[in-house]
């Protein structure tokens, strides 16, 4: 990842994707969409317990996915699993007025993975409150 940040070309055949964010923002649903290539329309009311690890293949690249539980009780243990050799998806609910936890997740990742890429992913765009004006 350091080579990439320096502008060098690197060929990868395996990528570690870390799905982090608050509870009920859609981390597991997003992962299921990535795996199936389809939009997940049903809601999952079962919270992830700890970390759920899985993988999927996309265009000859294996994605190792770590779906972190979003409940606050797990926050202290997450730090032991955050790796500098990963791509992070900080996932948040666009329909939620409170996005204060985004900063927490960004700081948590940066403390353990200084050079790792972080992508901010907003979910629930189809919620009626997510008008064009609201999202901008």
């Amino acid at each position: 990842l350091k080579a990439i940040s320096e502008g060098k070309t690197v060929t990868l055949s395996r990528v570690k994707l870390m799905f982090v964010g608050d509870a009920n923002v859609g981390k597991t649903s997003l992962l299921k969409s990535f795996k199936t290539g389809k939009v997940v329309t049903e809601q999952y009311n079962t919270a992830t317990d700890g970390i759920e690890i899985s993988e999927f293949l996309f265009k000859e690249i294996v994605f190792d996915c770590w779906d972190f539980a979003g409940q606050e009780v797990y926050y202290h243990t997450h730090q032991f699993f955050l790796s500098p050799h990963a791509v992070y998806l900080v996932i948040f609910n666009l329909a939620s007025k409170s996005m204060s936890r985004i900063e927490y997740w960004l700081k948590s990742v940066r403390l353990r993975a200084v050079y790792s890429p972080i992508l901010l992913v907003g979910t629930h765009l189809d919620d009626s409150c997510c008008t064009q004006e609201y999202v901008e």
Side-chain angles (χ1 to χ4, degrees), residues 1-134:
L1 294 175
K2 187 174 180 181
I4 293 171
S5 70
E6 293 172 352
K8 297 177 184 173
T9 302
V10 177
T11 303
L12 301 174
S13 60
R14 183 172 286 278
V15 177
K16 188 174 189 180
L17 278 182
M18 309 289 257
F19 291 70
V20 298
D22 288 349
N24 299 313
V25 295
K27 296 180 298 293
T28 302
S29 295
L30 182 64
L31 176 54
K32 288 182 189 292
S33 289
F34 283 174
K35 288 173 140 181
T36 63
K38 299 176 184 172
V39 175
V40 174
T41 55
E42 66 271 8
Q43 290 189 351
Y44 295 94
N45 293 327
T46 306
T48 301
D49 188 19
I51 303 169
E52 195 169 298
I53 302 170
S54 62
E55 68 178 38
F56 70 94
L57 180 68
F58 180 75
K59 294 188 178 184
E60 298 180 24
I61 298 174
V62 176
F63 289 89
D64 292 318
C65 302
W66 293 51
D67 182 3
F68 285 77
Q71 295 77 16
E72 199 165 338
V73 69
Y74 293 108
Y75 289 2
H76 296 293
T77 60
H78 286 169
Q79 65 183 320
F80 299 112
F81 300 98
L82 300 180
S83 165
H85 305 291
V87 174
Y88 287 84
L89 303 178
V90 174
I91 301 163
F92 62 97
N93 183 344
L94 287 167
S96 173
K97 302 266 189 237
S98 172
M99 294 189 197
S100 61
R101 301 296 298 178
I102 294 172
E103 188 174 348
Y104 166 82
W105 291 108
L106 292 172
K107 286 180 179 179
S108 294
V109 170
R110 276 292 168 241
L111 284 173
R112 297 284 177 192
V114 177
Y115 298 107
S116 293
I118 301 173
L119 304 172
L120 293 175
V121 180
T123 60
H124 296 86
L125 184 61
D126 57 344
D127 191 286
S128 61
C129 77
C130 291
T131 62
Q132 184 68 28
E133 181 181 38
Y134 174 82

